[in-house]
Amino acid sequence: MPNSANASDSPAIEVTGLTCGYDGQAVLKDLSFTVKRGEVFFVIGGSGCGKSTLLRHLIGLNPPLAGTVKFLGQSFTTADLAARRKLLKTFGVLYQGGALWSSLTLRQNVALPLEEHTTLSAREIDELATLKLAQVGLTGFEDYYPAEISGGMKKRAGLARALSLDPSIVFLDEPSAGLDPVTSRKLDELVLQMRETFGTTLVVVSHELASIFGIADRVIMLDRAEQGIIAEGPPRELAERSRDPRVIDFLHRSDRPAAPAV
Amino acid sequence: MSAPTSPARADAALEGETLSVQLAGDWLITAPRPGWLAALAGRTPKRVVLGSAGLGQWDSALLLFLFEAQQWCRIAGAHCDTKALPEKIHALLRQMSTSHETSVPFDRSENFFTAVGEATLDIWRKTRVFAHFIGECVLGAVRLVKHPKKFRWADFVEEMQLCGAMALPIVSLVSFLVGVTLAYTGAIVLRQYGGDIYVADLVGLSMVREMGALMTGVVLAGRTGAAFAATLGNMKANEEIDALETLGISAVDFLVLPRLLALGVMMPLLAIYSNALGILGGMAISMKVLSIPPAAYWVEMLTIVDMSDLLVGVIKAVVFGLIIGLAGCLRGIEAERSAAGVGRAATSAVVTAILLIIMADAVFAVAFDILGL
């Protein structure tokens, strides 16, 4: 979350000519986009368009078939092991189901990255883990195991873990999926709070319209047939001005659907 | 996070009873930073004033320092002045104080009597669950006899392939080596009395009555029992078993019976195969070490091993197969809905199966003795 008086001007994320896929088969081709520092940036699109695939390639879980990804001006895709390890500390990831380690309590889940990457004392780590969990509204649940809490709480605990090292960039994979509207709204507020307080850059993979229109500064929309980006810009602007029927369909899908003729 | 461009500093100056601490540089959690006690340097001011004039980038590292300072002031009875700090930092410090005060460790420890009571209740619960599960399986078997067309024959064949044919290499190796070991061990004693030829009887009888079924059971408990538990445990975690139940499909009929029957059929076949390989192992050693011709070995073995011995081994193998299947499936269905739960289920399936196999083997030894088999 570093607050910076004189941060460098390089974008938080710079993606150039990125081709994502598995076993040599491209799912997304030649993607290029940048995410500014402190921006809430959404990757949107229908199911199966490659949103999560893009996320996996951005965070280095899958090697790209072509292209580069830069974080804060430093190449992530071509970085050697030491540089990569350093860059890994610049971002945190909230996975779809929280991905909490089931054998550890919530406090231990949040503390583990701090134990691995800092020289803080056990007491300090404990204080910080407690704070992070309090920030996501999980005070009193520090010593619970993931199996003992609800799905929404797991996501919030996953977010606390993603924030444990105070990263400059946080990736969130479908943060609202499976959550009730109130919890989803609270998560959105938390995202905005993180940006306002710490200037964190947030990359959110989602297809929840309420979140997209509620908190996104800018979005890119992916399409399965196109295997790439079909729209880019602020969501309201896209909803009002885009003439692409795929974009219109997606961003106006909250309109009451007509029953198909039988 | 960005790399720190200037190191974190806490410049402290004492004026009278007031300690002014100016925070400067980049305070990042992954970089070294001064501690509060180092800044204090053994001084005991009545008032501490914290400022942030030269502060660069900062994150939780700064909060930890300030929180420590506040805590020290509270304990030492000093006044802590943080007015000069930005509002953002104030808000976070308040949050940190609140979380520190409201977080109460969840005590999971329990006294001895509670632990004993809980363990007893757990054993009782597990016994009931096991009995209930066996009952379900029996009812499932009745349904299978009544409506054989509804049985998952394709799954049954696939499971036979997985737990039978695919296990041949490991069963071959283990059985052959057991035969070799038995022959060597027997030879040590029998040679002293000039009874080398009786190695054939020893290996043959041991393999056919005991070791063939036992070793196959142990191998399959580790291989197939664990796989059953892991598969069913994963299905439970993914709510697949819940989906079956809500559709009115019995999980026992759909998932357990095909596996159970597949093991019940394949175990005796594998045990017979194991007998053959064990005898072959013994024969190889007898030929090489004791110079007993294979034909003589075979003829001698047939003087003591007969069909009743083979039947004993086969009966044991069927029961062991059912034990492995039951333990694997029960542990899988009972697994907790987490990765660790699936792991525990697989381990528990293997341990339960091996334990029950050994117990059943002992019961068989007594029963067959009484029956004169």
Side-chain angles (χ1 to χ4, degrees):
Chain A
M1 68 175 182
N3 282 262
S4 173
N6 53 354
S8 141
D9 288 335
S10 56
I13 306 169
E14 200 174 349
V15 175
T16 315
L18 186 71
T19 297
C20 313
Y22 306 100
D23 303 323
Q25 283 291 102
V27 176
L28 295 165
K29 286 180 184 164
D30 199 23
L31 305 183
S32 294
F33 59 89
T34 56
V35 183
K36 290 180 226 154
R37 292 188 186 215
E39 196 172 30
V40 179
F41 183 87
F42 269 59
V43 179
I44 64 172
S47 298
C49 69
K51 299 188 296 289
S52 294
T53 300
L54 172 61
L55 181 71
R56 290 183 68 82
H57 284 76
L58 288 180
I59 62 179
L61 287 178
N62 290 99
L65 301 180
T68 56
V69 177
K70 283 184 182 174
F71 292 128
L72 309 169
Q74 291 175 279
S75 175
F76 183 56
T77 35
T78 57
D80 60 31
L81 210 63
R84 193 181 166 87
R85 193 173 153 76
K86 210 170 163 187
L87 277 171
L88 283 173
K89 288 187 247 173
T90 64
F91 65 80
V93 185
L94 167 61
Y95 294 91
Q96 224 175 93
L100 297 170
W101 298 301
S102 55
S103 57
L104 305 182
T105 62
L106 302 192
R107 192 197 301 275
Q108 289 167 335
N109 262 279
V110 179
L112 189 61
L114 293 164
E115 286 165 8
E116 282 295 309
H117 294 293
T118 69
T119 53
L120 298 175
S121 67
R123 189 186 53 79
E124 287 173 323
I125 288 176
D126 197 54
E127 292 285 1
L128 266 191
T130 309
L131 171 67
K132 298 291 173 191
L133 286 166
Q135 285 176 337
V136 297
L138 288 175
T139 298
F141 292 94
E142 293 90 348
D143 297 314
Y144 280 64
Y145 285 94
E148 297 168 339
I149 58 174
S150 71
M153 290 162 101
K154 277 182 197 161
K155 281 206 174 167
R156 283 189 277 154
L159 185 59
R161 188 181 66 186
L163 298 175
S164 60
L165 285 174
D166 292 331
S168 299
I169 306 165
V170 177
F171 293 94
L172 300 101
D173 190 7
E174 306 275 11
S176 312
L179 298 185
D180 65 85
V182 177
T183 312
S184 176
R185 175 85 183 163
K186 278 186 181 162
L187 210 64
D188 286 349
E189 282 167 4
L190 197 64
V191 165
L192 283 184
Q193 190 194 344
M194 276 158 58
R195 197 264 295 272
E196 298 310 321
T197 316
F198 308 122
T200 313
T201 306
L202 293 130
V203 179
V204 186
V205 170
S206 179
H207 49 216
E208 294 288 325
L209 287 180
S211 293
I212 294 167
F213 288 117
I215 60 170
D217 292 325
R218 214 153 51 86
V219 305
I220 54 169
M221 184 169 171
L222 304 178
D223 183 71
R224 182 165 34 178
E226 204 82 26
Q227 292 191 310
I229 298 170
I230 56 166
E232 184 172 357
R236 292 201 181 279
E237 207 170 281
L238 286 180
E240 285 162 16
R241 295 189 189 164
S242 177
R243 289 173 188 278
D244 189 325
R246 294 166 296 184
V247 178
I248 296 167
D249 268 0
F250 187 88
L251 292 176
H252 290 273
R253 70 166 192 265
S254 56
D255 296 346
R256 190 183 169 85
V262 183
Chain B
M1 95 201 37
S2 310
T5 48
S6 64
R9 288 195 338 266
D11 303 325
L14 188 68
E15 292 166 18
E17 292 201 318
T18 302
L19 184 74
S20 297
V21 183
Q22 282 303 323
L23 304 165
D26 296 331
W27 289 69
L28 299 181
I29 198 137
T30 46
R33 63 166 176 91
W36 167 249
L37 291 179
L40 202 61
R43 294 169 284 199
T44 49
K46 290 280 178 224
R47 188 164 178 260
V48 174
V49 181
L50 293 155
S52 60
L55 192 61
Q57 301 178 69
W58 59 269
D59 62 17
S60 301
L62 182 70
L63 293 182
L64 283 172
F65 179 87
L66 293 172
F67 184 66
E68 205 180 342
Q70 281 187 332
Q71 293 283 92
W72 182 88
C73 287
R74 202 168 52 82
I75 293 164
H79 175 69
C80 187
D81 185 349
T82 56
K83 279 179 206 144
L85 297 176
E87 178 49 35
K88 259 194 234 181
I89 296 180
H90 275 138
L92 285 168
L93 271 176
R94 277 196 298 275
Q95 216 168 16
M96 195 154 186
S97 299
T98 313
S99 70
H100 176 78
E101 282 156 18
T102 52
S103 166
V104 182
F106 184 30
D107 187 8
R108 287 176 186 273
S109 60
E110 52 192 20
N111 68 38
F112 174 75
F113 294 108
T114 311
V116 170
E118 294 279 355
T120 311
L121 286 175
D122 192 49
I123 290 171
W124 173 237
R125 189 194 65 82
K126 280 181 177 162
T127 310
R128 281 179 57 187
V129 167
F130 190 64
H132 180 78
F133 182 69
I134 290 182
E136 279 280 317
C137 291
V138 171
L139 289 176
V142 172
R143 282 194 291 270
L144 163 65
V145 173
K146 280 185 180 171
H147 310 285
K149 279 186 182 171
K150 283 197 168 181
F151 186 62
R152 308 277 305 171
W153 291 107
D155 290 354
F156 169 66
V157 173
E158 193 185 331
E159 288 300 336
M160 283 207 300
Q161 158 86 3
L162 288 174
C163 69
M166 305 281 277
L168 282 176
I170 182 77
V171 170
S172 306
L173 182 69
V174 170
S175 306
F176 186 83
L177 293 179
V178 167
V180 167
T181 312
L182 282 173
Y184 264 120
T185 315
I188 294 169
V189 180
L190 296 170
R191 241 181 191 173
Q192 294 175 11
Y193 303 102
D196 299 14
I197 188 68
Y198 297 116
V199 165
D201 299 348
L202 175 79
V203 174
L205 203 61
S206 304
M207 284 307 299
V208 172
R209 281 189 73 99
E210 199 64 51
M211 299 307 280
L214 194 65
M215 292 317 294
T216 310
V218 170
V219 168
L220 286 208
R223 192 182 174 279
T224 309
F228 284 0
T231 309
L232 268 58
N234 247 327
M235 291 180 79
K236 189 179 179 195
N238 291 337
E239 297 176 324
E240 292 171 50
I241 293 179
D242 296 346
L244 283 173
E245 298 290 347
T246 49
L247 280 169
I249 301 167
S250 161
V252 168
D253 290 8
F254 193 86
L255 299 169
V256 178
L257 276 188
R259 288 174 168 79
L260 213 53
L261 283 189
L263 262 179
V265 172
M266 293 315 289
M267 259 299 285
L269 298 180
L270 282 172
I272 292 169
Y273 175 75
S274 168
N275 296 342
L277 264 290
I279 290 165
L280 201 67
M283 193 183 276
I285 294 306
S286 301
M287 196 171 72
K288 277 277 174 199
V289 180
L290 305 173
S291 306
I292 300 170
Y297 180 95
W298 181 253
V299 170
E300 175 56 36
M301 191 190 75
L302 289 182
T303 61
I304 193 140
V305 177
D306 58 23
M307 282 308 285
S308 69
D309 298 316
L310 190 67
L311 185 68
V312 165
V314 167
I315 291 171
K316 281 183 178 180
V318 173
V319 173
F320 293 171
L322 293 177
I323 286 173
I324 295 164
L326 283 170
C329 293
L330 175 65
R331 293 295 179 234
I333 283 180
E334 282 287 293
E336 291 165 40
R337 297 171 191 267
S338 66
V342 174
R344 275 194 291 273
T347 309
S348 175
V350 177
V351 174
T352 309
I354 291 178
L355 186 72
L356 289 179
I357 283 174
I358 305 281
M359 285 166 68
D361 201 31
V363 172
F364 275 129
V366 177
F368 288 141
D369 184 56
I370 294 168
L371 293 171
L373 275 169

